[in-house]
Amino acid sequence: MIPIGPDMDYPVISLNETSPLDPEYHFVNSTSRQLVFIVGSGSLLDSSAVLFRKANTIADGANGNEPSDIVSIKASYRDAVPPKAVPIQSLSLAIAQKCNLGCTYCYAEQGTFGGKPDNMSSEVAKASVDRLFLSAPVGQPITLAFMGGEPLFNREVLHQTTVYAAENARLSGREIKFSITTNATLIRPEDVALFQQYYFTVTVSIDGIGGSNDKLRPYISGKGSFEDIKEKLGLLMSVPNRKFKVLARVTVTPKNIGLPEIFLGLLDLGFDSIQFSPMLKSPTGAEELSGEDFNFLLLQLIKCGEMFRIGFNSKQLLALQNVMSTLQRIHFYQLESYPCGAGGGYMGVSAEGGLYACHRFVNDKEGYMGTIEEGVNPEKQREWLNDRHLSNQNACASCWARYLCSGSCHHEVIKRGRPACDYIRGWLYYCLGLYADLMESDPIGLRLLLGDKKAVCTETETDDGTGIIY
Ligand code: SF4
Ligand code: SF4
């Protein structure tokens, strides 16, 4: 039994520690030592005096003069200048622009995206699959996501399109992955069978346990949805030899910010992983986080991170996606110039067949990218890739966290700006320290957990023997 709970001790991180001082390196504290994070390479070095001199040399190296005595440079350089075009290899289909819930903050405005409730026709869905297979480079995996509104309002098209896309993949010898984001309330046994047969990733939107969920995610009638979600989770979790993952996505608002209790409650419900997503922008401004909320949110998320740490050290995975994805970004450090594939390799499709930068831009002219019938408008995509590239985000140029954050979600930045940078840097700072600690305590275990195929210990003594480079 792991001794964890909401009242556990946790590190407190101050703004003094995380504010950007130098764009090329940043000091980070793990529990046992002070480290220097080298922005150009992603390396973490012990900050002893000798190594600090080396750090400066490495920072120079990142600017083009690579010194010869570096043991390990992790980063690979990508997209140093904005690409002109990127082929689509992932689509999310808004197959039902309608919903049975009335979530108070819904970005999709109860699924309608500000228009009239609509279902995607099977013709548009199949044309989307054809477009995806035409566009995706051979050899690259293809992903097809079903979203809404509530996608299970259009069950027939969900089932037909999955079978159609899987058959296309089989005939062309290509790999395809399916996912669905659902409120779970409409799930039936035949849907579960579909998820099982096609190895879906099923993301369930749920904002807490009992009333904590119900005050944010009621039915349109006002009745709470939690008990129904719980019943349907039973259906999902009880499948023998389950071949699909069930993830929880929690939208965090000022009304459900007690994350450790929610984290433990959702683990108890059997979710394979839990993701907390802060609410930064809703169509009406309802439930948006602001000011002090972000400081409190950071402390709450760090408490969950500490639970993850205790679990890791006891060989028990407490699957917090916020930690896992950040540790992966640190471990496989790349000089990422975009926070996600939106407007590039990933796009959203509206019920009528419009192409948009991602699922959150559906029916929004700011993210319009073309149509399924005619394909991506090259001018629109070039403009997007240029405008959204990290090198064109002036606020980020001096930020030490820029290649881990990559400028933050386009939708939130376009609609609200960057009110959460201190929170983002605080979380990245914490995760860098956590990464260093876990790498010291069990490097092979951490590499295996993060999916590093080269799961062998490469911890290396530096040439002067005074420290380590991760
Ligand atoms: S958006 Fe991210 S990279 Fe840009 S300044 Fe804020 S924290 Fe730094
Ligand atoms: S723009 Fe934001 S919401 Fe859209 S895919 Fe990227 S991170 Fe997600």
Side-chain angles (χ1 to χ4, degrees), residues 395-396 399 402 405 407-408 418 421 424-425:
C396 306
C399 179
R402 62 190 179 281
C405 165
S408 199
R418 293 191 164 92
C421 289
I424 293 170
R425 280 188 290 261

Side-chain angles (χ1 to χ4, degrees), residues 10 12 30 40 56 59 78 85 123 137 183 186 200 219 223 241 246 273 287-288 297 322-323 330 363 367 399 432 468:
Y10 56 93
V12 177
S30 71
N56 281 327
R78 301 212 326 190
E123 289 73 28
N183 65 36
L186 301 176
F200 267 66
Y219 284 101
K223 178 177 164 264
N241 190 21
V246 187
S273 184
E287 323 294 4
E288 289 176 359
L297 173 65
N322 302 68
V323 169
I330 293 168
N363 284 356
C399 179
L432 283 164
I468 53 172

Side-chain angles (χ1 to χ4, degrees), residues 2 4-8 209 258-270 274 276 304 307 318:
I2 297 177
I4 52 178
D7 299 325
M8 64 191 297
I209 305 299
L259 305 193
E261 293 89 340
I262 295 175
F263 183 43
L264 292 177
L266 294 177
L267 285 175
D268 272 353
L269 286 176
I274 289 129
F276 291 112
C304 297
M307 294 182 195
L318 302 183

Side-chain angles (χ1 to χ4, degrees), residues 94 97 116 118-121 124 349-354 363 371-372:
Q97 287 183 195
K116 60 176 179 20
D118 201 3
N119 267 352
M120 183 179 282
S121 66
V124 169
V349 184
S350 69
E352 289 173 348
N363 284 356
T371 63
I372 282 300

